């Protein structure tokens, strides 16, 4: 054992630790900047992205098999529920079309060409997930060449699941909304209650145990209750307005009667995600 | 000349495991990444541990390959430089040091696996905690993340022990 503490070993270990800490500091600085990562990092990631696809295609096949078996078990119940929803859906669709047309006409009359709601959807496949319990990140198969930019919101399933944090030429990294870190960017969201009143706030955290989003920074007395829908507010940045975030599960008030913390059940699928939509603001 | 066969097997295996980690995580996220228990596949750690622990004589620059795997992990998965770049060589060093004092059998391998699979998440968690890259507390880390991760990877190691051991025994015989 005494050989381990010989001088040469010590020097190598010390240099190793210092180098790694230096690199870590550097990458934090680069990450917090608005622009894309250094060229060498982009190049490395693009090469890794291509290599990853060779592995991910066969594993994807196996994964699809396992998932379809587990889904098969709940198919009957699901089918019953879905049948009921389909009828409702047809009605909603017609109404939506009528409203959309009316909205377009009204906007052209009011000379509003681009509103906060408009966005261009970019669909991308997920090629990998960070194998780590505390970095909830996905790697998606589209990058700068497809028009993806840093901080664009990402949707999957019924709603918002996260935002783009790093853009390479042919792939990008997505930080999931469940990533509760100091460095995470917060989404500006709003709640519309039954009376049509809106409450603005931001996503302030994620409760890992209960799988719920926390909404804070609320400074209004408008009553919000369980079941109210939460969407992005489109304020301050690249996120378009009206992306579905989730529904309210519970609210808690502080001593002054303001609802200071609201818990939201995320609508997006944060589990196995194979395809995502990146919402590029027009 | 013959030893190059084992070397290529090691390199291809390492590349496969690096990408398998990300792909398995993605495909089985619904089963592995639950909020009550998170089991992270650590195939790359397993591969490096076994390669270093089963190796009879050191023909391969395993440390450099570990650094390479670390760079891919840092760039492609994590986005932070210098985390796995440090961890993977430590894993190799750990296995090689234990090789001096432990016999190579199933139980010793599982023990080495236990240490390796614990040290890898522990170091990466500490590094990210230091720079504010994670909100997971130490208690959550131990109960929700570490225990299921250990269980999953020990089972994978148990399954892969015989084939991997055979591979390295055959490699040693050919030499």
């Amino acid at each position: 054992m005494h050989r381990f503490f010989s001088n040469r070993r010590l020097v190598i270990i010390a240099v190793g630790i210092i180098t790694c800490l230096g690199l870590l500091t550097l990458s934090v600085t680069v990450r917090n900047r608005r622009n894309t990562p250094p060229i060498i990092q982009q190049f490395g990631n693009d090469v890794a992205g291509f290599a990853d696809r060779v592995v991910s295609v066969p594993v994807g096949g196996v994964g699809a098999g396992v998932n379809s078996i587990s889904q098969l078990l709940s198919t009957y119940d699901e089918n019953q529920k879905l049948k009921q929803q389909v009828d409702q859906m047809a009605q909603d669709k017609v109404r939506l079309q009528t409203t959309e047309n009316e909205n377009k006409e009204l906007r052209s009359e009011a000379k509003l060409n681009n509103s906060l709601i408009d966005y261009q959807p970019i669909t991308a496949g997920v090629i990998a997930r960070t194998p780590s319990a505390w970095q909830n990140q996905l790697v998606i198969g589209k990058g700068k060449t497809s028009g993806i930019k840093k901080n664009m919101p990402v949707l999957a399933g019924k709603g918002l699941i996260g935002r783009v944090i790093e853009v390479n030429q042919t792939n990008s990294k997505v930080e999931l909304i469940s990533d509760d870190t100091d460095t995470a960017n917060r989404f500006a969201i709003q709640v519309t209650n039954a009376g049509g009143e809106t409450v603005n706030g931001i996503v302030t955290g994620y409760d890992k145990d209960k799988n719920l989003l926390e909404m804070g920074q609320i400074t209004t007395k408008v009553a919000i209750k369980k079941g109210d829908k939460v969407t992005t507010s489109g304020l301050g940045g690249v996120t378009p307005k009206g992306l579905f975030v989730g529904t309210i599960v519970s609210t808690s008030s502080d001593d002054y009667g303001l609802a200071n913390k609201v818990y939201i059940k995320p609508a997006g699928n944060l589990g196995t995600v194979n395809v995502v939509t990146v919402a590029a603001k027009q | 000349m013959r030893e190059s066969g084992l070397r290529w097997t090691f390199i291809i295996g390492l590349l496969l495991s690096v990408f398998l980690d990300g792909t398995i995580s993605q495909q089985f996220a619904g089963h592995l990444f639950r909020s009550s228990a998170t089991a992270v596949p650590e195939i790359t750690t397993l591969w490096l541990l076994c390669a270093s622990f089963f190796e009879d004589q050191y023909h391969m620059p395993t440390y450099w390959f570990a650094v390479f795997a670390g760079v891919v992990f840092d760039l492609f998965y994590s986005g932070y430089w210098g985390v796995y770049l440090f961890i993977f060589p430590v894993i190799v060093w750990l296995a090689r040091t234990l090789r001096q004092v432990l016999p190579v059998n199933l139980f010793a391998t599982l023990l080495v696996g236990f240490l390796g699979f614990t040290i890898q998440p522990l170091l990466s968690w500490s590094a990210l905690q230091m720079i504010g890259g994670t909100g997971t507390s130490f208690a959550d880390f131990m109960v929700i993340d570490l225990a299921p991760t250990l269980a999953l990877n020990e089972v994978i190691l148990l399954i892969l022990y015989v084939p991997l051991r055979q591979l390295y025994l055959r490699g040693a015989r050919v030499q």
Side-chain angles (χ1 to χ4, degrees), chain A residues 230-250:
Chain A
V230 183
T231 58
T232 52
S233 64
L235 297 173
V238 267
T239 310
K241 187 181 180 176
L243 301 177
F244 189 29
V245 178
T247 43
I248 289 180
V249 177
S250 65

Side-chain angles (χ1 to χ4, degrees), chain A residues 115-128:
Chain A
S115 79
L116 288 171
I117 303 169
D118 289 330
Y119 69 86
Q120 186 80 43
I122 304 170
T123 311
V126 181
I127 56 174

Side-chain angles (χ1 to χ4, degrees), chain A residues 14-86:
Chain A
V15 168
I17 292 176
I18 292 168
T19 314
C20 289
L21 284 179
L23 284 171
L24 206 56
T25 320
L26 189 80
S27 57
V28 174
T29 325
V30 170
R31 198 183 172 97
N32 288 345
R33 265 188 237 145
R34 284 270 173 263
N35 54 11
T36 45
I39 299 292
I40 182 161
Q41 189 165 344
Q42 278 188 39
F43 177 73
N45 278 335
D46 289 328
V47 174
F50 280 118
D52 183 81
R53 272 165 235 222
V54 178
V55 181
S56 65
V57 170
V59 178
V62 177
V66 173
N67 286 333
S68 52
I69 288 170
S70 60
Q71 275 168 17
L72 200 64
L73 300 172
S74 56
T75 306
Y76 180 77
D77 283 343
E78 218 172 67
N79 193 20
Q80 297 289 324
K81 267 187 219 157
L82 288 175
K83 265 183 188 161
Q84 290 172 354
Q85 282 182 14
V86 164

Side-chain angles (χ1 to χ4, degrees), chain B residues 71-157:
Chain B
V71 168
V72 176
F73 254 69
D74 280 346
L75 292 190
F76 190 56
Y77 291 135
S78 149
Y80 290 112
W81 286 76
V83 181
Y84 290 94
L85 181 64
F86 176 71
I87 294 171
F88 286 149
V90 169
I91 296 287
V92 174
W93 169 81
L94 175 86
R96 282 191 174 178
T97 310
L98 289 174
R99 173 70 203 255
Q100 323 266 327
V101 287
L102 288 177
V104 181
N105 57 37
L106 178 63
F107 291 105
T109 310
L110 287 179
L111 178 71
V112 174
F114 187 87
L115 288 173
F117 299 140
T118 312
I119 283 176
Q120 197 255 65
L122 190 68
L123 287 180
S124 73
W125 178 81
S126 316
L128 285 177
Q129 188 72 27
M130 203 163 60
I131 55 170
T134 174
T136 314
S137 67
F138 186 69
D140 276 358
F141 163 71
M142 292 296 281
V143 180
I144 299 176
D145 304 325
L146 189 59
T149 300
L150 264 176
L152 172 75
N153 289 292
E154 285 285 298
V155 170
I156 298 177
L157 181 58

